[in-house]
mmCIF file of all heavy atoms in Angstrom:
data_model
loop_
_atom_site.group_PDB
_atom_site.id
_atom_site.type_symbol
_atom_site.label_atom_id
_atom_site.label_comp_id
_atom_site.label_asym_id
_atom_site.label_seq_id
_atom_site.Cartn_x
_atom_site.Cartn_y
_atom_site.Cartn_z
ATOM 1 N N MET A 259 199.697 -60.152 124.569
ATOM 2 C CA MET A 259 199.252 -60.433 125.977
ATOM 3 C C MET A 259 197.801 -60.991 126.002
ATOM 4 O O MET A 259 197.465 -61.558 126.997
ATOM 5 C CB MET A 259 199.250 -59.127 126.755
ATOM 6 C CG MET A 259 200.617 -58.544 127.067
ATOM 7 S SD MET A 259 200.606 -56.944 127.904
ATOM 8 C CE MET A 259 199.808 -57.368 129.461
ATOM 9 N N ARG A 260 197.040 -60.859 124.950
ATOM 10 C CA ARG A 260 195.638 -61.248 125.006
ATOM 11 C C ARG A 260 195.542 -62.810 125.153
ATOM 12 O O ARG A 260 196.258 -63.525 124.550
ATOM 13 C CB ARG A 260 194.938 -60.833 123.738
ATOM 14 C CG ARG A 260 194.733 -59.383 123.597
ATOM 15 C CD ARG A 260 193.772 -58.973 122.502
ATOM 16 N NE ARG A 260 193.870 -57.572 122.170
ATOM 17 C CZ ARG A 260 193.255 -56.663 122.936
ATOM 18 N NH1 ARG A 260 192.526 -57.026 123.976
ATOM 19 N NH2 ARG A 260 193.356 -55.356 122.596
ATOM 20 N N LYS A 261 194.645 -63.213 126.046
ATOM 21 C CA LYS A 261 194.394 -64.610 126.305
ATOM 22 C C LYS A 261 192.928 -64.794 126.749
ATOM 23 O O LYS A 261 192.265 -63.808 127.161
ATOM 24 C CB LYS A 261 195.307 -65.156 127.391
ATOM 25 C CG LYS A 261 195.219 -64.442 128.678
ATOM 26 C CD LYS A 261 196.207 -65.015 129.749
ATOM 27 C CE LYS A 261 197.656 -64.801 129.331
ATOM 28 N NZ LYS A 261 198.599 -65.230 130.369
ATOM 29 N N PRO A 262 192.367 -65.998 126.587
ATOM 30 C CA PRO A 262 190.962 -66.182 126.936
ATOM 31 C C PRO A 262 190.681 -65.837 128.387
ATOM 32 O O PRO A 262 191.507 -66.085 129.251
ATOM 33 C CB PRO A 262 190.752 -67.671 126.638
ATOM 34 C CG PRO A 262 191.815 -68.057 125.655
ATOM 35 C CD PRO A 262 193.032 -67.184 126.042
ATOM 36 N N ALA A 263 189.518 -65.301 128.662
ATOM 37 C CA ALA A 263 189.094 -64.975 130.052
ATOM 38 C C ALA A 263 188.913 -66.294 130.805
ATOM 39 O O ALA A 263 188.454 -67.287 130.282
ATOM 40 C CB ALA A 263 187.853 -64.164 130.025
ATOM 41 N N THR A 264 189.188 -66.284 132.098
ATOM 42 C CA THR A 264 189.035 -67.431 132.983
ATOM 43 C C THR A 264 188.353 -66.992 134.273
ATOM 44 O O THR A 264 188.926 -66.373 135.161
ATOM 45 C CB THR A 264 190.395 -68.067 133.332
ATOM 46 O OG1 THR A 264 191.204 -67.060 133.916
ATOM 47 C CG2 THR A 264 191.093 -68.629 132.089
ATOM 48 N N GLY A 265 187.071 -67.271 134.391
ATOM 49 C CA GLY A 265 186.301 -66.997 135.593
ATOM 50 C C GLY A 265 185.906 -65.554 135.752
ATOM 51 O O GLY A 265 186.457 -64.702 135.126
ATOM 52 N N GLN A 266 184.940 -65.392 136.651
ATOM 53 C CA GLN A 266 184.443 -64.027 136.944
ATOM 54 C C GLN A 266 185.371 -63.219 137.816
ATOM 55 O O GLN A 266 185.442 -62.053 137.729
ATOM 56 C CB GLN A 266 183.059 -64.121 137.603
ATOM 57 C CG GLN A 266 181.914 -64.460 136.639
ATOM 58 C CD GLN A 266 180.585 -64.311 137.362
ATOM 59 O OE1 GLN A 266 180.359 -64.981 138.424
ATOM 60 N NE2 GLN A 266 179.670 -63.532 136.812
ATOM 61 N N PHE A 267 186.103 -63.874 138.736
ATOM 62 C CA PHE A 267 186.857 -63.223 139.780
ATOM 63 C C PHE A 267 188.363 -63.523 139.657
ATOM 64 O O PHE A 267 188.786 -64.618 139.235
ATOM 65 C CB PHE A 267 186.405 -63.721 141.216
ATOM 66 C CG PHE A 267 184.951 -63.392 141.478
ATOM 67 C CD1 PHE A 267 183.959 -64.357 141.343
ATOM 68 C CD2 PHE A 267 184.564 -62.140 141.956
ATOM 69 C CE1 PHE A 267 182.657 -64.096 141.566
ATOM 70 C CE2 PHE A 267 183.255 -61.834 142.205
ATOM 71 C CZ PHE A 267 182.269 -62.816 141.986
ATOM 72 N N HIS A 268 189.167 -62.544 140.028
ATOM 73 C CA HIS A 268 190.638 -62.724 140.077
ATOM 74 C C HIS A 268 190.990 -62.423 141.530
ATOM 75 O O HIS A 268 190.745 -61.310 142.053
ATOM 76 C CB HIS A 268 191.326 -61.829 139.121
ATOM 77 C CG HIS A 268 192.844 -61.940 139.239
ATOM 78 N ND1 HIS A 268 193.611 -60.936 139.839
ATOM 79 C CD2 HIS A 268 193.698 -62.962 138.924
ATOM 80 C CE1 HIS A 268 194.888 -61.333 139.815
ATOM 81 N NE2 HIS A 268 194.968 -62.557 139.263
ATOM 82 N N TYR A 269 191.647 -63.405 142.203
ATOM 83 C CA TYR A 269 191.924 -63.198 143.585
ATOM 84 C C TYR A 269 193.367 -62.923 143.899
ATOM 85 O O TYR A 269 193.741 -62.533 144.990
ATOM 86 C CB TYR A 269 191.493 -64.514 144.357
ATOM 87 C CG TYR A 269 190.079 -64.880 144.259
ATOM 88 C CD1 TYR A 269 189.689 -66.010 143.520
ATOM 89 C CD2 TYR A 269 189.106 -64.128 144.893
ATOM 90 C CE1 TYR A 269 188.318 -66.345 143.457
ATOM 91 C CE2 TYR A 269 187.762 -64.438 144.770
ATOM 92 C CZ TYR A 269 187.382 -65.581 144.100
ATOM 93 O OH TYR A 269 186.069 -65.893 143.925
ATOM 94 N N GLY A 270 194.273 -63.164 142.956
ATOM 95 C CA GLY A 270 195.668 -62.995 143.193
ATOM 96 C C GLY A 270 196.394 -64.267 143.455
ATOM 97 O O GLY A 270 195.792 -65.254 143.917
ATOM 98 N N PRO A 271 197.706 -64.300 143.349
ATOM 99 C CA PRO A 271 198.448 -65.551 143.516
ATOM 100 C C PRO A 271 198.410 -66.072 144.970
ATOM 101 O O PRO A 271 198.562 -67.299 145.151
ATOM 102 C CB PRO A 271 199.874 -65.156 143.090
ATOM 103 C CG PRO A 271 199.914 -63.683 143.271
ATOM 104 C CD PRO A 271 198.567 -63.174 142.952
ATOM 105 N N GLU A 272 198.321 -65.156 145.918
ATOM 106 C CA GLU A 272 198.365 -65.625 147.322
ATOM 107 C C GLU A 272 197.203 -66.535 147.628
ATOM 108 O O GLU A 272 197.340 -67.621 148.159
ATOM 109 C CB GLU A 272 198.385 -64.443 148.232
ATOM 110 C CG GLU A 272 199.584 -63.506 148.146
ATOM 111 C CD GLU A 272 199.401 -62.497 146.975
ATOM 112 O OE1 GLU A 272 198.370 -62.475 146.371
ATOM 113 O OE2 GLU A 272 200.395 -61.738 146.798
ATOM 114 N N ARG A 273 195.973 -66.095 147.270
ATOM 115 C CA ARG A 273 194.823 -66.871 147.527
ATOM 116 C C ARG A 273 194.792 -68.169 146.670
ATOM 117 O O ARG A 273 194.391 -69.231 147.176
ATOM 118 C CB ARG A 273 193.526 -66.076 147.332
ATOM 119 C CG ARG A 273 192.244 -66.931 147.445
ATOM 120 C CD ARG A 273 191.017 -66.087 147.586
ATOM 121 N NE ARG A 273 189.810 -66.870 147.466
ATOM 122 C CZ ARG A 273 188.566 -66.477 147.634
ATOM 123 N NH1 ARG A 273 188.413 -65.230 147.956
ATOM 124 N NH2 ARG A 273 187.510 -67.314 147.451
ATOM 125 N N GLU A 274 195.221 -68.034 145.417
ATOM 126 C CA GLU A 274 195.246 -69.197 144.530
ATOM 127 C C GLU A 274 196.183 -70.287 145.132
ATOM 128 O O GLU A 274 195.826 -71.476 145.139
ATOM 129 C CB GLU A 274 195.675 -68.808 143.137
ATOM 130 C CG GLU A 274 194.658 -67.934 142.450
ATOM 131 C CD GLU A 274 195.182 -67.277 141.153
ATOM 132 O OE1 GLU A 274 196.365 -67.536 140.824
ATOM 133 O OE2 GLU A 274 194.439 -66.522 140.532
ATOM 134 N N GLY A 275 197.329 -69.879 145.612
ATOM 135 C CA GLY A 275 198.235 -70.825 146.284
ATOM 136 C C GLY A 275 197.661 -71.429 147.534
ATOM 137 O O GLY A 275 197.732 -72.632 147.781
ATOM 138 N N TYR A 276 197.003 -70.615 148.322
ATOM 139 C CA TYR A 276 196.387 -71.100 149.576
ATOM 140 C C TYR A 276 195.291 -72.153 149.273
ATOM 141 O O TYR A 276 195.203 -73.193 149.916
ATOM 142 C CB TYR A 276 195.831 -69.930 150.338
ATOM 143 C CG TYR A 276 195.045 -70.304 151.588
ATOM 144 C CD1 TYR A 276 195.739 -70.686 152.744
ATOM 145 C CD2 TYR A 276 193.680 -70.261 151.627
ATOM 146 C CE1 TYR A 276 195.043 -71.012 153.869
ATOM 147 C CE2 TYR A 276 192.936 -70.569 152.720
ATOM 148 C CZ TYR A 276 193.643 -70.961 153.876
ATOM 149 O OH TYR A 276 192.971 -71.288 154.999
ATOM 150 N N GLU A 277 194.468 -71.830 148.287
ATOM 151 C CA GLU A 277 193.323 -72.748 147.966
ATOM 152 C C GLU A 277 193.746 -73.967 147.181
ATOM 153 O O GLU A 277 192.926 -74.875 147.046
ATOM 154 C CB GLU A 277 192.221 -71.954 147.240
ATOM 155 C CG GLU A 277 191.500 -70.977 148.219
ATOM 156 C CD GLU A 277 190.344 -70.264 147.597
ATOM 157 O OE1 GLU A 277 190.263 -70.194 146.345
ATOM 158 O OE2 GLU A 277 189.385 -69.887 148.370
ATOM 159 N N ALA A 278 194.934 -73.984 146.781
ATOM 160 C CA ALA A 278 195.453 -75.251 146.188
ATOM 161 C C ALA A 278 195.549 -76.333 147.307
ATOM 162 O O ALA A 278 195.403 -77.499 147.082
ATOM 163 C CB ALA A 278 196.797 -75.055 145.539
ATOM 164 N N GLN A 279 195.883 -75.889 148.489
ATOM 165 C CA GLN A 279 195.940 -76.773 149.642
ATOM 166 C C GLN A 279 194.564 -76.870 150.308
ATOM 167 O O GLN A 279 194.004 -77.943 150.490
ATOM 168 C CB GLN A 279 196.974 -76.330 150.695
ATOM 169 C CG GLN A 279 197.064 -77.185 151.918
ATOM 170 C CD GLN A 279 197.961 -76.656 152.964
ATOM 171 O OE1 GLN A 279 198.059 -75.453 153.164
ATOM 172 N NE2 GLN A 279 198.600 -77.545 153.751
ATOM 173 N N TRP A 280 194.058 -75.672 150.660
ATOM 174 C CA TRP A 280 192.743 -75.605 151.345
ATOM 175 C C TRP A 280 191.662 -75.429 150.281
ATOM 176 O O TRP A 280 191.142 -74.332 150.104
ATOM 177 C CB TRP A 280 192.712 -74.437 152.317
ATOM 178 C CG TRP A 280 193.448 -74.854 153.631
ATOM 179 C CD1 TRP A 280 194.716 -74.524 153.942
ATOM 180 C CD2 TRP A 280 192.918 -75.613 154.630
ATOM 181 N NE1 TRP A 280 195.013 -75.083 155.167
ATOM 182 C CE2 TRP A 280 193.900 -75.742 155.623
ATOM 183 C CE3 TRP A 280 191.694 -76.220 154.891
ATOM 184 C CZ2 TRP A 280 193.729 -76.441 156.861
ATOM 185 C CZ3 TRP A 280 191.500 -76.908 156.078
ATOM 186 C CH2 TRP A 280 192.492 -77.028 157.032
ATOM 187 N N THR A 281 191.372 -76.535 149.618
ATOM 188 C CA THR A 281 190.302 -76.480 148.589
ATOM 189 C C THR A 281 188.948 -76.191 149.260
ATOM 190 O O THR A 281 188.795 -76.300 150.479
ATOM 191 C CB THR A 281 190.233 -77.794 147.890
ATOM 192 O OG1 THR A 281 189.868 -78.820 148.799
ATOM 193 C CG2 THR A 281 191.544 -78.174 147.219
ATOM 194 N N ARG A 282 187.946 -75.858 148.442
ATOM 195 C CA ARG A 282 186.655 -75.617 148.984
ATOM 196 C C ARG A 282 186.097 -76.794 149.759
ATOM 197 O O ARG A 282 185.535 -76.673 150.829
ATOM 198 C CB ARG A 282 185.673 -75.171 147.859
ATOM 199 C CG ARG A 282 184.345 -74.721 148.324
ATOM 200 C CD ARG A 282 184.347 -73.347 148.918
ATOM 201 N NE ARG A 282 184.882 -72.344 148.025
ATOM 202 C CZ ARG A 282 184.161 -71.548 147.232
ATOM 203 N NH1 ARG A 282 182.838 -71.765 147.236
ATOM 204 N NH2 ARG A 282 184.706 -70.648 146.502
ATOM 205 N N ALA A 283 186.332 -77.998 149.177
ATOM 206 C CA ALA A 283 185.847 -79.196 149.843
ATOM 207 C C ALA A 283 186.610 -79.498 151.153
ATOM 208 O O ALA A 283 186.026 -79.963 152.171
ATOM 209 C CB ALA A 283 186.067 -80.440 148.885
ATOM 210 N N ALA A 284 187.927 -79.158 151.137
ATOM 211 C CA ALA A 284 188.703 -79.334 152.381
ATOM 212 C C ALA A 284 188.209 -78.424 153.501
ATOM 213 O O ALA A 284 188.031 -78.862 154.667
ATOM 214 C CB ALA A 284 190.178 -79.053 152.159
ATOM 215 N N TYR A 285 187.945 -77.184 153.174
ATOM 216 C CA TYR A 285 187.494 -76.243 154.265
ATOM 217 C C TYR A 285 186.067 -76.559 154.643
ATOM 218 O O TYR A 285 185.712 -76.371 155.848
ATOM 219 C CB TYR A 285 187.648 -74.781 153.748
ATOM 220 C CG TYR A 285 188.096 -73.863 154.887
ATOM 221 C CD1 TYR A 285 189.331 -73.223 154.822
ATOM 222 C CD2 TYR A 285 187.265 -73.618 155.965
ATOM 223 C CE1 TYR A 285 189.755 -72.405 155.782
ATOM 224 C CE2 TYR A 285 187.723 -72.773 156.972
ATOM 225 C CZ TYR A 285 188.948 -72.154 156.879
ATOM 226 O OH TYR A 285 189.309 -71.334 157.937
ATOM 227 N N ASP A 286 185.254 -77.006 153.737
ATOM 228 C CA ASP A 286 183.818 -77.410 154.121
ATOM 229 C C ASP A 286 183.905 -78.557 155.148
ATOM 230 O O ASP A 286 183.139 -78.580 156.086
ATOM 231 C CB ASP A 286 183.050 -77.757 152.905
ATOM 232 C CG ASP A 286 182.611 -76.570 152.108
ATOM 233 O OD1 ASP A 286 182.771 -75.426 152.601
ATOM 234 O OD2 ASP A 286 182.209 -76.753 150.935
ATOM 235 N N LEU A 287 184.785 -79.511 154.880
ATOM 236 C CA LEU A 287 184.950 -80.570 155.861
ATOM 237 C C LEU A 287 185.459 -80.092 157.235
ATOM 238 O O LEU A 287 184.924 -80.491 158.245
ATOM 239 C CB LEU A 287 185.939 -81.668 155.271
ATOM 240 C CG LEU A 287 186.252 -82.790 156.272
ATOM 241 C CD1 LEU A 287 184.991 -83.545 156.680
ATOM 242 C CD2 LEU A 287 187.296 -83.771 155.583
ATOM 243 N N LEU A 288 186.439 -79.220 157.167
ATOM 244 C CA LEU A 288 186.909 -78.631 158.412
ATOM 245 C C LEU A 288 185.747 -78.000 159.212
ATOM 246 O O LEU A 288 185.650 -78.270 160.399
ATOM 247 C CB LEU A 288 187.947 -77.579 158.110
ATOM 248 C CG LEU A 288 188.451 -76.791 159.319
ATOM 249 C CD1 LEU A 288 189.242 -77.647 160.271
ATOM 250 C CD2 LEU A 288 189.338 -75.576 158.928
ATOM 251 N N THR A 289 184.936 -77.152 158.560
ATOM 252 C CA THR A 289 183.845 -76.504 159.326
ATOM 253 C C THR A 289 182.816 -77.494 159.830
ATOM 254 O O THR A 289 182.244 -77.305 160.877
ATOM 255 C CB THR A 289 183.204 -75.399 158.439
ATOM 256 O OG1 THR A 289 182.796 -75.975 157.159
ATOM 257 C CG2 THR A 289 184.171 -74.361 158.158
ATOM 258 N N ASP A 290 182.631 -78.586 159.048
ATOM 259 C CA ASP A 290 181.730 -79.635 159.503
ATOM 260 C C ASP A 290 182.225 -80.292 160.751
ATOM 261 O O ASP A 290 181.519 -80.554 161.731
ATOM 262 C CB ASP A 290 181.492 -80.663 158.448
ATOM 263 C CG ASP A 290 180.576 -80.231 157.318
ATOM 264 O OD1 ASP A 290 179.894 -79.124 157.505
ATOM 265 O OD2 ASP A 290 180.553 -80.859 156.241
ATOM 266 N N ILE A 291 183.570 -80.568 160.770
ATOM 267 C CA ILE A 291 184.202 -81.174 161.933
ATOM 268 C C ILE A 291 184.060 -80.309 163.153
ATOM 269 O O ILE A 291 183.670 -80.694 164.207
ATOM 270 C CB ILE A 291 185.683 -81.494 161.632
ATOM 271 C CG1 ILE A 291 185.821 -82.594 160.692
ATOM 272 C CG2 ILE A 291 186.419 -81.793 162.969
ATOM 273 C CD1 ILE A 291 187.233 -82.779 160.128
ATOM 274 N N LEU A 292 184.368 -79.023 162.981
ATOM 275 C CA LEU A 292 184.365 -78.071 164.088
ATOM 276 C C LEU A 292 182.934 -77.816 164.574
ATOM 277 O O LEU A 292 182.767 -77.707 165.785
ATOM 278 C CB LEU A 292 184.972 -76.716 163.668
ATOM 279 C CG LEU A 292 186.457 -76.873 163.144
ATOM 280 C CD1 LEU A 292 186.945 -75.452 162.670
ATOM 281 C CD2 LEU A 292 187.353 -77.394 164.275
ATOM 282 N N ALA A 293 181.997 -77.758 163.726
ATOM 283 C CA ALA A 293 180.589 -77.547 164.117
ATOM 284 C C ALA A 293 180.097 -78.677 164.958
ATOM 285 O O ALA A 293 179.178 -78.493 165.793
ATOM 286 C CB ALA A 293 179.703 -77.354 162.937
ATOM 287 N N GLY A 294 180.649 -79.933 164.839
ATOM 288 C CA GLY A 294 180.260 -81.071 165.612
ATOM 289 C C GLY A 294 180.893 -81.104 166.968
ATOM 290 O O GLY A 294 180.499 -81.957 167.774
ATOM 291 N N LEU A 295 181.807 -80.157 167.309
ATOM 292 C CA LEU A 295 182.431 -80.138 168.604
ATOM 293 C C LEU A 295 181.759 -79.091 169.513
ATOM 294 O O LEU A 295 181.114 -78.126 168.987
ATOM 295 C CB LEU A 295 183.920 -79.769 168.492
ATOM 296 C CG LEU A 295 184.814 -80.787 167.774
ATOM 297 C CD1 LEU A 295 186.207 -80.181 167.487
ATOM 298 C CD2 LEU A 295 184.964 -82.050 168.625
ATOM 299 N N PRO A 296 181.910 -79.232 170.795
ATOM 300 C CA PRO A 296 181.377 -78.147 171.689
ATOM 301 C C PRO A 296 182.111 -76.788 171.367
ATOM 302 O O PRO A 296 183.273 -76.837 170.920
ATOM 303 C CB PRO A 296 181.801 -78.653 173.093
ATOM 304 C CG PRO A 296 181.945 -80.134 172.987
ATOM 305 C CD PRO A 296 182.418 -80.408 171.549
ATOM 306 N N ILE A 297 181.406 -75.747 171.571
ATOM 307 C CA ILE A 297 181.882 -74.394 171.171
ATOM 308 C C ILE A 297 183.318 -74.172 171.709
ATOM 309 O O ILE A 297 184.196 -73.648 170.967
ATOM 310 C CB ILE A 297 180.900 -73.294 171.595
ATOM 311 C CG1 ILE A 297 179.582 -73.456 170.761
ATOM 312 C CG2 ILE A 297 181.519 -71.926 171.405
ATOM 313 C CD1 ILE A 297 178.497 -72.498 171.256
ATOM 314 N N HIS A 298 183.548 -74.462 172.969
ATOM 315 C CA HIS A 298 184.823 -74.109 173.556
ATOM 316 C C HIS A 298 186.009 -74.946 173.047
ATOM 317 O O HIS A 298 187.169 -74.645 173.265
ATOM 318 C CB HIS A 298 184.751 -74.221 175.108
ATOM 319 C CG HIS A 298 184.517 -75.632 175.636
ATOM 320 N ND1 HIS A 298 183.287 -76.189 175.581
ATOM 321 C CD2 HIS A 298 185.421 -76.498 176.183
ATOM 322 C CE1 HIS A 298 183.380 -77.412 176.109
ATOM 323 N NE2 HIS A 298 184.636 -77.643 176.494
ATOM 324 N N TRP A 299 185.682 -75.978 172.243
ATOM 325 C CA TRP A 299 186.769 -76.785 171.643
ATOM 326 C C TRP A 299 187.125 -76.387 170.164
ATOM 327 O O TRP A 299 188.134 -76.743 169.660
ATOM 328 C CB TRP A 299 186.362 -78.281 171.658
ATOM 329 C CG TRP A 299 186.700 -79.013 172.869
ATOM 330 C CD1 TRP A 299 185.818 -79.176 173.945
ATOM 331 C CD2 TRP A 299 187.884 -79.676 173.226
ATOM 332 N NE1 TRP A 299 186.525 -79.920 174.934
ATOM 333 C CE2 TRP A 299 187.746 -80.233 174.459
ATOM 334 C CE3 TRP A 299 189.136 -79.894 172.489
ATOM 335 C CZ2 TRP A 299 188.777 -80.966 175.122
ATOM 336 C CZ3 TRP A 299 190.126 -80.577 173.119
ATOM 337 C CH2 TRP A 299 189.959 -81.120 174.420
ATOM 338 N N ARG A 300 186.229 -75.620 169.583
ATOM 339 C CA ARG A 300 186.325 -75.457 168.106
ATOM 340 C C ARG A 300 187.516 -74.665 167.643
ATOM 341 O O ARG A 300 188.231 -75.138 166.743
ATOM 342 C CB ARG A 300 185.024 -74.749 167.605
ATOM 343 C CG ARG A 300 183.797 -75.592 167.741
ATOM 344 C CD ARG A 300 182.557 -74.884 167.425
ATOM 345 N NE ARG A 300 181.357 -75.633 167.725
ATOM 346 C CZ ARG A 300 180.110 -75.174 167.583
ATOM 347 N NH1 ARG A 300 179.877 -73.940 167.146
ATOM 348 N NH2 ARG A 300 179.101 -75.954 167.847
ATOM 349 N N PHE A 301 187.804 -73.581 168.220
ATOM 350 C CA PHE A 301 188.973 -72.760 167.766
ATOM 351 C C PHE A 301 190.254 -73.530 168.085
ATOM 352 O O PHE A 301 191.196 -73.510 167.240
ATOM 353 C CB PHE A 301 188.988 -71.396 168.451
ATOM 354 C CG PHE A 301 190.114 -70.515 167.978
ATOM 355 C CD1 PHE A 301 190.191 -70.043 166.695
ATOM 356 C CD2 PHE A 301 191.179 -70.147 168.868
ATOM 357 C CE1 PHE A 301 191.218 -69.239 166.256
ATOM 358 C CE2 PHE A 301 192.204 -69.333 168.435
ATOM 359 C CZ PHE A 301 192.232 -68.898 167.106
ATOM 360 N N PHE A 302 190.354 -74.165 169.189
ATOM 361 C CA PHE A 302 191.497 -74.992 169.545
ATOM 362 C C PHE A 302 191.728 -76.041 168.439
ATOM 363 O O PHE A 302 192.840 -76.273 167.917
ATOM 364 C CB PHE A 302 191.351 -75.612 170.926
ATOM 365 C CG PHE A 302 192.407 -76.624 171.236
ATOM 366 C CD1 PHE A 302 193.653 -76.237 171.730
ATOM 367 C CD2 PHE A 302 192.190 -77.985 171.044
ATOM 368 C CE1 PHE A 302 194.605 -77.145 172.021
ATOM 369 C CE2 PHE A 302 193.143 -78.957 171.321
ATOM 370 C CZ PHE A 302 194.377 -78.477 171.867
ATOM 371 N N ALA A 303 190.649 -76.726 168.096
ATOM 372 C CA ALA A 303 190.710 -77.853 167.178
ATOM 373 C C ALA A 303 191.133 -77.333 165.797
ATOM 374 O O ALA A 303 191.953 -77.948 165.052
ATOM 375 C CB ALA A 303 189.444 -78.608 167.045
ATOM 376 N N LYS A 304 190.617 -76.175 165.356
ATOM 377 C CA LYS A 304 190.945 -75.563 164.110
ATOM 378 C C LYS A 304 192.454 -75.306 164.078
ATOM 379 O O LYS A 304 193.167 -75.665 163.127
ATOM 380 C CB LYS A 304 190.194 -74.309 163.823
ATOM 381 C CG LYS A 304 190.616 -73.550 162.559
ATOM 382 C CD LYS A 304 190.171 -72.098 162.462
ATOM 383 C CE LYS A 304 190.874 -71.455 161.278
ATOM 384 N NZ LYS A 304 190.594 -70.021 161.165
ATOM 385 N N THR A 305 192.990 -74.690 165.126
ATOM 386 C CA THR A 305 194.432 -74.346 165.158
ATOM 387 C C THR A 305 195.281 -75.569 165.129
ATOM 388 O O THR A 305 196.288 -75.606 164.385
ATOM 389 C CB THR A 305 194.688 -73.572 166.454
ATOM 390 O OG1 THR A 305 193.827 -72.391 166.516
ATOM 391 C CG2 THR A 305 196.161 -73.156 166.522
ATOM 392 N N GLU A 306 194.922 -76.625 165.811
ATOM 393 C CA GLU A 306 195.648 -77.889 165.791
ATOM 394 C C GLU A 306 195.625 -78.533 164.435
ATOM 395 O O GLU A 306 196.594 -79.136 163.988
ATOM 396 C CB GLU A 306 195.175 -78.804 166.907
ATOM 397 C CG GLU A 306 195.442 -78.319 168.293
ATOM 398 C CD GLU A 306 196.953 -78.152 168.568
ATOM 399 O OE1 GLU A 306 197.776 -78.955 168.078
ATOM 400 O OE2 GLU A 306 197.378 -77.214 169.280
#
């Protein structure tokens, strides 16, 4: 079973699968987009 260590943190398969789509760069762009909208539009835009 022994294999080389990979990274400091282990998040589990669910998060790993989620972040394959929602990469750090993707989510950073999303938050930049939302921050540029009026507050009352942001959650709606995120959901859409």
Side-chain angles (χ1 to χ4, degrees):
M259 293 174 64
R260 292 191 191 281
K261 58 181 66 174
T264 56
Q266 284 186 305
F267 299 96
H268 177 252
Y269 300 110
E272 298 83 2
R273 175 166 169 174
E274 291 168 2
Y276 175 75
E277 290 187 333
Q279 178 187 33
W280 281 98
T281 63
R282 189 71 61 91
Y285 217 113
D286 285 346
L287 174 58
L288 172 68
T289 54
D290 285 346
I291 291 171
L292 300 177
L295 292 170
I297 291 173
H298 64 283
W299 274 92
R300 293 175 186 173
F301 182 66
F302 172 82
K304 176 195 171 184
T305 302
E306 292 297 324

